[in-house]
Amino acid sequence: MSSKNMKLNDWVSEIGKMCEPDSVYWCDGSKSEYDKMIGLMIDSGLATPLKKRPGSYLFRSDPSDVARVEDRTYISCRNKEDAGPTNNWMEPDKLKSIMKDLYKGCMKGRTMFVIPFSMGPVGSPIAKIGVEISDSPYVVVNMHIMTRVGTNVLDVLGKDGEFIKCLHSVGKPLSHGESDNGVWPCAPIEKKFISHFPEEDTIWSYGSGYGGNALLGKKCLALRIASVMARREGWMAEHMLILRLTNPAGRKFHIAAAFPSACGKTNLAMLRPTIPGWKCECIGDDIAWMKQGPDGRLRAINPEAGFFGVAPGTSYKSNPMAMESIKENTIFTNGVLTDDGDVWWEDMGVPCAHGIDWKGREWTPEKGEKGAHPNARFTTPATQCPVVCPDWEDPAGVPIDIFIFGGRRTSVVPLVIQSFDWDHGVYLGATSASEPTAAAFDVKGKIRRDPFAMLPFCGYNMGDYWTHWFEMGDKLGDNAPKIFYVNWFRKTADGKWLWPGFGDNSRVLKWMCERIEGKAGADKTPVGMMPSKNDLDLEGLNMNDSDISELLSVDSAKWAAEIPEIEEFISGFGRHMPTRMKAQVEKMKARLA
Ligand code: GTP
Ligand code: SPV
Ligand code: MN
């Protein structure tokens, strides 16, 4: 088979010559294709069917291949300055020549899959078409769930449509007659490359089969490449969940929130409000593409079609809607296989006395090691979420009222702040910081600044990205969403969560909505507008006063102590650092003095 698009056909044959697969297969996105791929992986010992969950399978990856690899991720454009100081950079010709050596014959003994996919509803004016070439059937089945794969994408592409070229190989050729035989195929860490060529709308990924390294529609296309397109074309590609919150009077609010990886987006997106009369519906849990609509408001779509969610910590208590979503037709990676043929992970809310851990070994809780990898994930279709919003696929998108930024901060940062204005909100986004999580293989240590939760995902100079945010604010004017900053992760001195989080986060969202309606009060503090205890709905929460005061307190000395590090961070962007950012730092210093 081939397509009507000569550019695509030429590219496929060029890659075929380089990678030397045994065969080439064009994906049609059908259920029978999905089942065939799963069958191949059951035969090669990589997939285990789960008796307890219809249509669901467990995979175990290699211990070196369990998360994104930020040190191996490159933005490769002609000028180093365009990638900026926060991205790894290599000159495109040099990087391509290194990678071509790796790609040479890398698909021997394997099938090369050609996966046409759409990010966003097929044919929508906001959607983008990508084609991923991959030698991994695991990638094919995950792409089926996470994106819209199918021959209808080729129809939209037509004879001369444009597409983003996504090349992927696990980097493990097979000799004649060899099978994976239960061993997750990948290359050693120093041979892994996740490379982006934004000037050519091209992604080259080698050596990893896991998550964002391999499902190239997600972080690589929908954030790193799309962020460059968005800047060029005047829209926004952000690491944000999207939700609709309806108040008891029936007014709908649309919220987009950016938290770093493994800091609560999926949980907030599927929130069950604990306050009576409020309803929450999920539009997306990881990525938002936003454009100013004809009415002047910012309209958001979720370019994805599924959820690739963190499994550990997901329970009927913390995220019941995720638990309902993953009852069937779900792929699990790096969980525990239980003796009765189910999947299990830490803090699932049910016990597991014995099973096979994510490394394939006998496991009991007494072992003192985690049974599931902390970045174990589920891949599940958005349509299976009981609270998916009826408008989640509306090509026009939903109008955003509220932006939220945040991170994991066990101290200093209070429960919630509202920005004074747009520019101050951009400052809050740009200076957000968070503690490392298991979502990145190679990020360790203390807190780091993660501007807009985009540090690992911005495809160009982060200083220019801030300028883009300021300019979007100018363009949106009075229609610009109001900006808030939250921290669900504050701890007591003895290490307990101060805030119950999860469903109770609805209390904080309620305050935000009431701020927009002009109903709720707030106090001016040096760091922003904040609720007092009486401005927040804490009805039915059994919290003691001192915990609440601590959550809502600002220690100016501690904030001031972070300023020198913030100044050093932003000055690292040199002439790309917007003067409006500098002005915000000066204002902050004056308020704290
Ligand atoms: P990515 O998929 O990596 O982008 O992560 P995410 O931002 O979607 O994070 P997710 O919602 O999966 O949450 C990650 C971890 O944070 C899980 O272990 C959750 O249980 C935990 N978490 C989420 N929300 C809260 C909260 O409000 N309070 C506390 N204490 N933990 C939370
Ligand atoms: C993240 O790390 O933010 C994720 C998981 O959503 S991955 O798809 O691996 O990027
Ligand atoms: Mn994410």
Side-chain angles (χ1 to χ4, degrees), residues 68 211-213 218-219 239 261-262 265 286 308 377 439 457:
R68 288 182 294 100
N213 299 334
K218 197 173 179 53
K219 296 310 179 8
H239 191 199
S261 303
K265 287 183 301 301
D286 200 50
F308 183 62
R377 298 248 170 188
F457 308 119

Side-chain angles (χ1 to χ4, degrees), residues 333-582:
T333 311
N334 289 342
V336 173
L337 177 66
T338 66
D339 294 345
D340 58 351
D342 200 359
V343 65
W344 184 89
W345 47 75
E346 276 69 24
D347 298 318
M348 196 191 206
V350 290
C352 173
H354 180 267
I356 307 292
D357 73 3
W358 72 276
K359 289 182 172 166
R361 305 168 308 184
E362 290 265 327
W363 180 86
T364 62
E366 290 73 43
K367 268 196 107 179
E369 267 179 64
K370 290 205 154 101
H373 186 277
N375 194 42
R377 298 248 170 188
F378 53 78
T379 320
T380 200
T383 49
Q384 288 188 187
C385 181
V387 291
V388 75
C389 180
D391 295 331
W392 82 279
E393 294 194 279
D394 183 348
V398 295
I400 298 298
D401 302 283
I402 292 171
F403 275 142
I404 307 178
F405 304 120
R408 218 173 248 277
R409 293 292 305 265
T410 48
S411 64
V412 185
V413 178
L415 182 63
V416 59
I417 301 171
Q418 180 179 11
S419 76
F420 298 121
D421 52 29
W422 181 267
D423 278 22
H424 179 233
V426 174
Y427 171 82
L428 290 176
T431 56
S432 344
S434 200
E435 280 140 31
T437 68
F441 187 71
D442 43 15
V443 179
K444 305 265 146 61
K446 291 185 105 131
I447 68 160
R448 67 170 181 180
R449 299 284 153 201
D450 186 349
F452 298 83
M454 283 288 280
L455 185 72
F457 308 119
C458 184
Y460 60 101
N461 191 306
M462 180 67 77
D464 296 335
Y465 169 85
W466 295 344
T467 301
H468 183 50
W469 263 86
F470 284 123
E471 286 173 355
M472 284 302 297
D474 295 342
K475 195 157 96 174
L476 290 164
D478 290 343
N479 285 311
K482 299 286 181 275
I483 301 180
F484 296 82
Y485 190 101
V486 301
N487 178 23
W488 314 140
F489 298 95
R490 187 87 171 241
K491 282 185 175 172
T492 58
D494 53 352
K496 288 196 205 78
W497 300 120
L498 265 171
W499 177 247
F502 304 103
D504 286 314
N505 293 333
S506 58
R507 299 169 187 278
V508 177
L509 303 189
K510 176 181 173 182
W511 178 73
M512 294 174 184
C513 295
E514 290 180 347
R515 286 293 294 161
I516 293 200
E517 291 186 298
K519 283 187 192 159
D523 300 324
K524 190 165 187 226
T525 80
V527 301
M529 303 302 291
M530 280 175 55
S532 72
K533 196 187 147 186
N534 298 327
D535 298 319
L536 275 182
D537 181 350
L538 301 172
E539 178 99 34
L541 256 193
N542 239 335
M543 281 185 70
N544 66 46
D545 275 353
S546 71
D547 283 355
I548 295 167
S549 326
E550 193 175 340
L551 276 168
L552 299 178
S553 66
V554 173
D555 183 335
S556 291
K558 285 193 178 141
W559 282 83
E562 290 190 5
I563 295 282
E565 179 259 317
I566 287 174
E567 287 187 301
E568 193 190 319
F569 178 65
I570 67 166
S571 68
F573 298 93
R575 64 182 189 88
H576 293 267
M577 197 257 292
T579 48
R580 280 159 85 173
M581 187 64 71
K582 181 84 190 127

